[in-house]
Amino acid sequence: MVIFSVYVVNKAGGLIYQYDNYVPRTEVEKTFSYPLDLVLKHHDEKVIVSFGQRDGIKGIKFIVLADPRQAGIDALLKKIYEIYSDFALKNPFYSLEMPIRCELFDQNLKGALEVAEKAGNFGAGS
Amino acid sequence: MTVHNFYLFDRNGNCLFYNEWNRKKQAGISKEEEFKLMYGMLFSIRSFVSKMAPLDMKDGFLSFQTSKYRLHYYETPSGLKLVLNTDLSVSNARETLQHIYSNLYVELVVKNPSCSSTQTLDSELFSSRLDSFIRSLPFYSPRAA
């Protein structure tokens, strides 16, 4: 619940991966007092040099939507990048900038989200 | 612990007031372009944030941070937008911005019959009060890190 979604955007701005993790809790909501403001963290891969791209490979952006009380998002973003490089880039059947359809990527991503939710959750959840 | 600069926009996108305290690097474009860039960015981010929200939002866009600074944003119901750039040690400047709005802007500008609300702010009183308020903030230090 506390990590809502993960998006991966390629260099050209196209969405190459999306994972949604939220369940609409309409009937379960009892308290209305918790802050629902979003914390949007934007992690831009590879520094873009001003006169042009360094080697045109990177430029991938990872976006995580999470509850503001969720801690450890920076570490989570790094972890997602590691999982991306392990299961997408090293996959011989995956071409860069294309939508990510690798099972191992999905599995490891879900695992990383669960770990982050359990480890970094301070006071969230009602 | 420092404050870099402050922008005040009206609801049409005109920059009513701007001041800087500890700005080390200029944008490389004219002030006019910088204000347009800032306003356009705020407009786009607010729209993005409201579309991407997985739950109902209370306040909307509050702030963003980079590796070097944090931008704090506060919008009044009348569409007035206050933007404050500080270093990363300031996690929440919302009350500061609210104070600037209700105690400085409303008191000194809105209630001033000779201050036009559509043009750039000309009020010296507002400028000097804001300056002393910012300098008195606990997170302001002239020796910028």
Side-chain angles (χ1 to χ4, degrees):
Chain A
M1 185 272 291
V2 283
I3 294 181
F4 299 112
S5 331
V6 176
Y7 301 91
V8 182
V9 179
N10 69 8
K11 194 163 38 100
L15 188 69
I16 58 178
Y17 186 78
Q18 175 200 357
Y19 173 65
D20 288 324
N21 194 23
Y22 57 92
V23 179
R25 312 186 318 141
T26 42
E27 58 279 335
V28 182
E29 264 176 25
K30 292 189 192 101
T31 67
F32 302 93
S33 60
Y34 57 91
L36 295 180
D37 316 299
L38 281 184
V39 169
L40 207 65
K41 296 282 170 70
H42 194 114
H43 182 79
D44 210 301
E45 284 300 299
K46 195 87 174 190
V47 173
I48 305 286
V49 188
S50 60
F51 55 80
Q53 305 243 299
R54 291 291 295 284
D55 38 43
I57 294 182
K58 297 293 183 74
I60 303 283
K61 303 164 210 0
F62 297 92
I63 303 176
V64 173
L65 295 194
D67 190 293
R69 285 161 296 182
Q70 179 76 33
I73 296 288
D74 285 338
L76 176 65
L77 282 166
K78 282 203 171 69
K79 183 82 188 137
I80 294 177
Y81 174 55
E82 272 177 36
I83 295 174
Y84 169 75
S85 67
D86 281 340
F87 297 104
L89 296 183
K90 293 182 189 169
N91 184 335
F93 296 113
Y94 173 68
S95 8
L96 279 168
E97 315 289 327
M98 289 288 114
I100 302 176
R101 302 242 181 281
C102 317
E103 243 187 76
L104 287 175
F105 179 78
D106 294 332
Q107 287 171 11
N108 282 72
L109 181 69
K110 287 186 181 111
L113 290 183
E114 277 167 27
V115 168
E117 281 183 8
K118 290 199 181 83
N121 221 333
F122 301 129
S126 44
Chain B
M1 295 272 263
T2 184
V3 173
H4 298 297
N5 51 9
F6 172 77
Y7 301 77
L8 183 70
F9 293 99
D10 72 359
R11 65 166 160 257
N12 299 321
N14 305 316
C15 184
L16 300 176
F17 185 79
Y18 170 76
N19 201 357
E20 56 188 48
W21 287 268
N22 270 331
R23 183 171 187 171
K24 298 225 192 66
K25 173 182 157 312
Q26 297 299 320
I29 50 177
S30 74
K31 275 284 173 279
E32 205 188 304
E33 288 178 13
E34 185 182 311
F35 297 151
K36 280 194 214 161
L37 183 66
M38 173 65 74
Y39 188 81
M41 184 274 297
L42 292 174
F43 186 84
S44 307
I45 283 200
R46 280 176 50 233
S47 159
F48 176 77
V49 163
S50 79
K51 291 202 171 89
M52 293 298 288
L55 305 167
D56 286 329
M57 285 201 310
K58 207 170 52 149
D59 288 316
F61 173 55
L62 299 178
S63 72
F64 74 71
Q65 77 181 60
T66 73
S67 48
K68 294 283 184 203
Y69 70 94
R70 190 174 271 130
L71 179 144
H72 306 263
Y73 174 75
Y74 176 65
E75 178 176 0
T76 72
S78 57
L80 198 77
K81 299 164 178 56
L82 296 89
V83 177
L84 190 72
N85 286 326
T86 67
D87 68 355
L88 292 176
S89 59
V90 183
S91 59
N92 193 337
R94 197 163 171 79
E95 284 186 14
T96 310
L97 288 169
Q98 277 175 334
H99 182 273
I100 293 178
Y101 174 67
S102 36
N103 298 48
L104 295 178
Y105 182 76
V106 167
E107 292 300 318
L108 304 175
V109 178
V110 174
K111 296 186 180 173
N112 184 341
S114 59
C115 264
S116 159
S117 61
T118 51
Q119 293 147 11
T120 318
L121 225 46
D122 227 349
S123 165
E124 279 237 23
L125 188 58
F126 176 75
S127 182
S128 61
R129 287 272 174 91
L130 178 68
D131 189 67
S132 36
F133 173 67
I134 296 279
R135 286 180 201 275
S136 72
L137 287 171
F139 49 79
Y140 179 82
S141 149
R143 292 187 318 282

